[in-house]
Amino acid sequence: MSKKAGKKRRQKDVGACDVTRDRVRAHFLDGQTGPWARKLGAEPSATDSAPSTDAEASASSSSETAASAASRPVGPDYSVPSSIDIVADPVLHAISTRRSISKLGPETPNDADLRELIHAVSSVADHKGLKPWRFIIIRGHDRNRLGEALDEAGNVQRKTGEINEKPLRAELLLALVASPQDNPKVPEWEQHATAAGAGHLLELALWQAGWGVMWRSGNLTNEPAVRRLHRLKESELLMGWLYIGAVPERYRQRLPNSTRPLPDPEQFLDTL
Ligand SMILES: Cc1cc2nc3c(=O)[nH]c(=O)nc-3n(C[C@H](O)[C@H](O)[C@H](O)COP(=O)(O)O)c2cc1C
């Protein structure tokens, strides 16, 4: 892109950014994101009678009959290209508003919910379909065992009764393990990329489902004591833990006014 065109584009983006920010705020306020929305969804909401987006407005104003709606396939229609709108499109909206939550409430998704979300993210791009990743569920006392393993790995001696509280920062931790297979066509780094992709997709899926998540790791993650606790094979790599819990109510209330500006996309793009 020429310098002149780039400048023009950036000026246009600044204006577009303001509009987008306002729309993102309004979107958060309408309660359409997360399990708190599930609760709202059980009751008739303002959005049932007043469409909140252009897309909804055009859908509700169409003369579609109940019979034709019932015969529609379930899920979005990918047979037509959609406009790129990071507020109206729920996928782009979830991606662009995702953020890590470091202080989590005690509620967690149950194992059935986790299975459902992992089912969804198993669509991750995966060369030769080797499925080189897995998650390990860590709840309850297993978090203390992780604290002990981290202490052993870091040579930390504690007074009697003291424990490593780091793994207790959430009620549920999911350890992400990269499990590369021997394959002449798929080098190990590609399989690590797939495993990381599964982690990022799961973070996003949890966020979209209304849960708070923070991916944590550290220098001790692949030390022998920690690897032993997770019963890793020699070839496997521990990629850290997703700390999962509820988004605290106070934080949730602040979300509408704390939209984080996204970085300028120019910095991520170049040509050969
Ligand atoms: C593999 C991986 C490991 C991470 N480990 C840590 C960590 O140990 N401690 C930490 O504060 N953040 C860690 N982060 C970063 C946070 O998860 C988070 O992305 C960061 O705080 C920025 O917040 P955001 O996700 O809202 O942009 C890690 C991220 C990744 C992808």
Side-chain angles (χ1 to χ4, degrees):
M1 190 182 294
S2 73
K3 263 192 183 161
K4 210 171 161 190
K7 193 175 169 203
K8 211 169 161 189
R9 169 90 199 270
R10 273 191 294 279
Q11 280 167 348
K12 196 175 145 219
D13 284 350
V14 172
C17 199
D18 285 345
V19 174
T20 302
R21 202 173 303 132
D22 286 347
R23 293 181 66 195
V24 168
R25 286 196 179 131
H27 202 76
F28 266 126
L29 282 172
D30 77 8
Q32 291 300 311
T33 310
W36 52 90
R38 215 182 291 162
K39 205 167 60 189
L40 290 174
E43 308 155 11
S45 71
T47 51
D48 292 338
S49 50
S52 63
T53 66
D54 294 349
E56 284 166 19
S58 69
S60 64
S61 67
S62 78
S63 58
E64 190 177 50
T65 63
S68 70
S71 64
R72 232 183 6 214
V74 176
D77 178 3
Y78 291 117
S79 64
V80 286
S82 82
S83 60
I84 296 175
D85 183 330
I86 69 169
V87 175
D89 183 298
V91 178
L92 296 182
H93 183 255
I95 293 171
S96 59
T97 58
R98 184 212 63 81
R99 58 188 65 193
S100 300
I101 309 288
S102 59
K103 290 203 171 71
L104 295 156
E107 300 84 6
T108 64
N110 61 30
D111 288 0
D113 287 343
L114 287 180
R115 265 189 205 96
E116 191 71 5
L117 292 172
I118 286 172
H119 194 193
V121 306
S122 59
S123 69
V124 64
D126 179 4
H127 194 177
K128 299 273 176 208
L130 300 175
K131 302 184 182 58
W133 53 277
R134 62 194 178 91
F135 286 101
I136 300 171
I137 297 172
I138 302 175
R139 297 186 191 268
H141 181 68
D142 285 347
R143 296 170 306 150
N144 298 65
R145 294 173 62 207
L146 174 56
E148 285 160 17
L150 287 167
D151 278 354
E152 185 184 335
N155 262 324
V156 177
Q157 313 288 331
R158 294 187 191 273
K159 290 186 193 140
T160 315
E162 271 186 12
I163 57 167
N164 184 338
E165 295 193 340
K166 285 196 170 166
L168 308 183
R169 287 174 291 188
E171 292 290 323
L172 168 64
L173 277 61
L174 279 185
L176 170 57
V177 181
S179 268
Q181 322 286 313
D182 265 340
N183 189 293
K185 295 241 163 78
V186 190
E188 191 182 60
W189 72 263
E190 283 193 9
Q191 302 188 49
H192 286 169
T194 293
H200 286 290
L201 281 183
L202 189 59
E203 263 203 313
L204 186 64
L206 283 157
W207 170 254
Q208 166 64 8
W211 296 105
V213 193
M214 178 137 174
W215 189 337
R216 297 178 189 272
S217 60
N219 295 338
L220 303 176
T221 304
N222 279 281
E223 287 298 307
V226 182
R227 291 178 60 85
R228 234 182 357 259
L229 178 75
H230 293 78
R231 286 182 276 120
L232 297 193
K233 288 190 222 137
E234 185 75 24
S235 58
E236 290 184 318
L237 184 71
L238 189 53
M239 304 193 88
W241 302 267
L242 302 188
Y243 282 60
I244 300 165
V247 181
E249 188 58 40
R250 259 182 313 120
Y251 188 92
R252 214 181 286 163
Q253 280 167 5
R254 289 211 314 269
L255 273 176
N257 297 314
S258 69
T259 305
R260 276 196 311 192
L262 293 169
D264 183 344
E266 292 292 335
Q267 68 188 272
F268 304 113
L269 271 179
D270 207 340
T271 51
L272 281 180

